[in-house]
Amino acid sequence: MGASDVKIFENKALSRNNTDVLFKVGDKNFTIGDLTKRIELRQFGGLGNKQKTNITDDQRKSLAKNYFQYEVLKRDAITKGIDKDPEYMKEIQMRVDGIIAREYMEKILGKEVKVTQQEIREEYDKNKDNRYFKMVNQGKNRVKQPEPFINVKDRIEKNLISTKKVENRKDWTKQILQEYNYKVDESELEGGN
C-alpha cells in the first residue's frame, strides 16, 4: 500500500461524481463510479435481491478503503504468480461455479417472493409478545413491552421474505432433483454407511 505507484484519495469517498478518481494502483484508476457499482452489488446482495439498504457516510468510507486494499492485495498476489498455480485456480473455479449456481437460484427464487401487509400484521399480532418486544422497568420488575408496529414493520417484512425464500429454495431444489431424476448415493459420501 505504500508503493510509489499506489495512491488513495480518501477525501473523494463521499463524492457523487462518478468520474472522480478514488485511488490508483499502478497505471489503473479506480473511480467513484467503480465504488458505486461495488456498493450496489453489496447492497442488493447479488442478482436476485432488489432490496436496497442505505449506507452511512462512514460505511461508504470504510467500503472505499476495503476496495482499495483488495485491489492492492490482488495486484501483489498476481505479481507473485498465484493466478498461475493450477491447484489454486481449480479451487477458484469451484468457488465461481458455486457463486454462479447460487446467484442463478437467488435470481429465480427472488422474483416470486411477495409479502402482503396483512401477512406482516398477522406476524406482528401473533408474535409481538415473544419476538417484537423490549424489556422495560416497571417498578422493581422488568417486563416485556411490545414494540410499536411501525418500529418493527420493515424487520418483519424482511424476515418473512427471507423465510419464503428458504421455503421456495427447498421446493425448487426438490422439483429440480425430481425433474432430472437426480439422486445422491449417500453410501458414497464421506462418513456414509
Side-chain angles (χ1 to χ4, degrees), residues 83-188:
D83 60 325
K84 305 289 186 267
D85 179 335
E87 284 302 310
Y88 177 74
M89 294 312 291
K90 185 177 174 184
E91 182 184 324
I92 287 295
Q93 189 57 54
M94 287 173 57
R95 290 185 200 171
V96 168
D97 291 346
I99 290 170
I100 290 171
R102 187 170 58 248
E103 291 287 330
Y104 174 67
M105 183 168 56
E106 290 299 322
K107 183 175 183 178
I108 287 179
L109 299 177
K111 284 182 180 177
E112 300 173 14
V113 176
K114 301 227 184 303
V115 174
T116 66
Q117 294 303 308
Q118 181 180 345
E119 288 175 301
I120 296 169
R121 189 69 200 196
E122 285 173 0
E123 167 67 14
Y124 174 76
D125 290 341
K126 180 180 173 186
N127 293 296
K128 64 184 173 187
D129 292 325
N130 57 19
R131 283 189 196 159
Y132 311 111
F133 67 89
K134 59 184 175 183
M135 298 301 290
V136 295
N137 292 328
Q138 197 172 59
K140 294 182 179 180
N141 299 321
R142 290 189 50 80
V143 296
K144 290 181 182 180
Q145 181 181 64
E147 292 188 66
F149 176 70
I150 193 70
N151 291 1
V152 294
K153 181 177 177 271
D154 290 343
R155 185 175 53 162
I156 293 171
E157 183 176 17
K158 284 180 184 176
N159 288 342
L160 289 175
I161 286 172
S162 180
T163 299
K164 283 188 176 188
K165 280 186 176 182
V166 169
E167 291 167 1
N168 286 354
R169 186 179 299 122
K170 286 179 188 174
D171 293 344
W172 184 73
T173 303
K174 186 177 177 182
Q175 175 192 337
I176 291 294
L177 292 177
Q178 288 174 344
E179 187 176 322
Y180 290 97
N181 197 26
Y182 182 83
K183 291 186 173 67
V184 175
D185 183 355
E186 297 195 17
S187 68
E188 294 295 322

Side-chain angles (χ1 to χ4, degrees), residues 46-79:
L47 297 172
N49 187 0
K50 293 301 175 199
Q51 283 195 323
K52 185 175 180 179
T53 55
N54 293 322
I55 62 168
T56 66
D57 286 350
D58 286 341
Q59 289 170 322
R60 187 174 177 88
K61 288 177 187 175
S62 177
L63 288 168
K65 281 184 183 177
N66 286 342
Y67 183 24
F68 170 64
Q69 290 171 349
Y70 282 133
E71 289 300 328
V72 172
L73 289 169
K74 182 175 79 174
R75 180 177 79 159
D76 199 45
I78 290 170
T79 301

Side-chain angles (χ1 to χ4, degrees), residues 8-19:
I8 184 167
F9 307 100
E10 292 184 50
N11 59 326
K12 298 281 187 183
L14 301 182
S15 170
R16 295 300 187 242
N17 181 351
N18 284 338
T19 60

